[in-house]
Amino acid sequence: MKKYIQYIGVSLAVAVAGVVLGACEKIDDVPPYKESSTSKAYKLPDPTTMTADETAEFNAIKAEYDAATK
């Protein structure tokens, strides 16, 4: 009776190992190439100069930041 149970146990272990190893597929290391917006060249818009109001607001924010980090 013990041998019968051992054979069942070994057979079950081999079957489980076969299923686990057989379920694996060959994986691609690199995903397939697709053309997207990130692969195309992108031109940044031309820079614009800040107005006097924007410059004053920027300087106020910078001064507040510098005071808080000291």
Side-chain angles (χ1 to χ4, degrees):
M1 184 70 174
K2 278 188 174 180
K3 273 194 165 182
Y4 181 70
I5 293 174
Q6 286 177 346
Y7 286 134
I8 291 175
V10 169
S11 299
L12 184 61
V14 168
V16 168
V19 168
V20 168
L21 294 175
C24 298
E25 295 180 11
K26 182 179 177 189
I27 334 174
D28 292 334
D29 290 338
V30 179
Y33 175 76
K34 285 195 274 184
E35 176 113 7
S36 67
S37 61
T38 58
S39 62
K40 296 179 181 176
Y42 179 74
K43 183 185 177 304
L44 291 173
D46 294 330
T48 57
T49 56
M50 295 191 329
T51 63
D53 293 335
E54 292 172 338
T55 305
E57 183 179 353
F58 173 77
N59 289 337
I61 293 171
K62 186 174 183 236
E64 181 181 354
Y65 173 78
D66 288 341
T69 57
K70 287 185 182 177

